């Protein structure tokens, strides 16, 4: 030590090394493990394939997975779509809700032999998050 009571310039301390904080995704993965949750699969695709989505839900559930899927068939309840302004607002909210389901899921299952713009965007979003994507019709996968 020098006269001031501090370490001299020859004895510089190493900066402290702290672990990086967990990302929200890492925290979610850890919580799922701690809760011993089964894998979560989100079903994506055009709601014109609602019957196929229900069949996929059954298969995935029988395989021991938690299944989430679109909650509203965009093609069937006409009373939801009678007011164009309210319908557009609902569509935006449903899109946001479905992206939340994708963030929650461990994997994505795309159902149907057609992929439109919305489903294509969901696939891109899932892949940007590192989620594995499976397709019931692999030939329609835009990145296969």
């Amino acid at each position: 030590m020098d006269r001031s009571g501090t370490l001299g310039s020859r004895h510089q301390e190493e900066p402290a090394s702290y672990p990086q904080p967990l990302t929200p995704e890492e925290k979610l993965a850890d919580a799922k493990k701690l809760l011993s949750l089964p894998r979560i699969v989100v079903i994506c695709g055009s709601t014109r394939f609602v019957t196929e989505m229900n069949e996929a839900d059954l298969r995935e559930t029988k395989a021991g997975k938690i299944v989430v899927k679109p909650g509203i068939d965009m093609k069937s309840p006409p009373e939801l779509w009678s007011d164009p302004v309210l319908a557009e607002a609902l569509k935006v909210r449903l899109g946001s809700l479905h992206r939340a389901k994708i963030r929650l899921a461990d994997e994505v299952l795309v159902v149907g032999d057609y992929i439109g713009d919305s489903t294509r965007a969901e696939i891109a979003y899932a892949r940007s998050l590192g989620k594995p994507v499976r397709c019931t019709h692999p030939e329609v996968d835009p990145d296969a």
Side-chain angles (χ1 to χ4, degrees):
M1 281 199 260
D2 63 21
R3 292 182 200 175
S4 66
T6 62
L7 295 175
S9 62
R10 287 183 278 166
H11 300 323
Q12 294 182 2
E13 291 185 30
E14 293 288 323
S17 174
Y18 298 102
Q20 292 295 314
L22 295 177
T23 65
E25 293 82 6
E26 291 167 330
K27 289 179 183 179
L28 178 59
D30 285 351
K32 287 177 182 179
K33 286 178 191 170
L34 288 171
L35 293 169
S36 299
L37 290 178
R39 285 185 64 79
I40 301 171
V41 60
V42 61
I43 294 177
C44 295
S46 170
T47 55
R48 73 173 76 169
F49 300 115
V50 70
T51 300
E52 292 88 342
M53 287 181 177
N54 291 334
E55 291 167 358
D57 184 348
L58 178 62
R59 281 191 311 275
E60 297 294 314
T61 299
K62 283 175 63 179
K65 297 177 184 175
I66 295 172
V67 179
V68 291
K69 62 183 181 182
I72 296 177
D73 177 354
M74 303 285 281
K75 310 285 188 245
S76 69
E79 68 276 0
L80 291 177
W81 316 117
S82 59
D83 180 329
V85 173
L86 293 177
E88 187 57 32
L90 177 59
K91 188 174 179 181
V92 168
R93 284 197 323 270
L94 292 175
S96 179
L97 181 60
H98 201 67
R99 284 187 300 282
K101 292 175 184 179
I102 292 169
R103 288 192 306 276
L104 177 66
D106 299 304
E107 61 182 310
V108 174
L109 176 59
V110 179
V111 173
D113 61 0
Y114 161 81
I115 295 180
D117 292 340
S118 295
T119 303
R120 192 175 317 280
E122 291 167 356
I123 292 169
Y125 181 63
R127 287 188 168 135
S128 78
L129 298 173
K131 308 284 180 173
V133 175
R134 292 184 289 130
C135 296
T136 59
H137 294 76
E139 68 276 7
V140 299
D141 184 349
D143 295 326

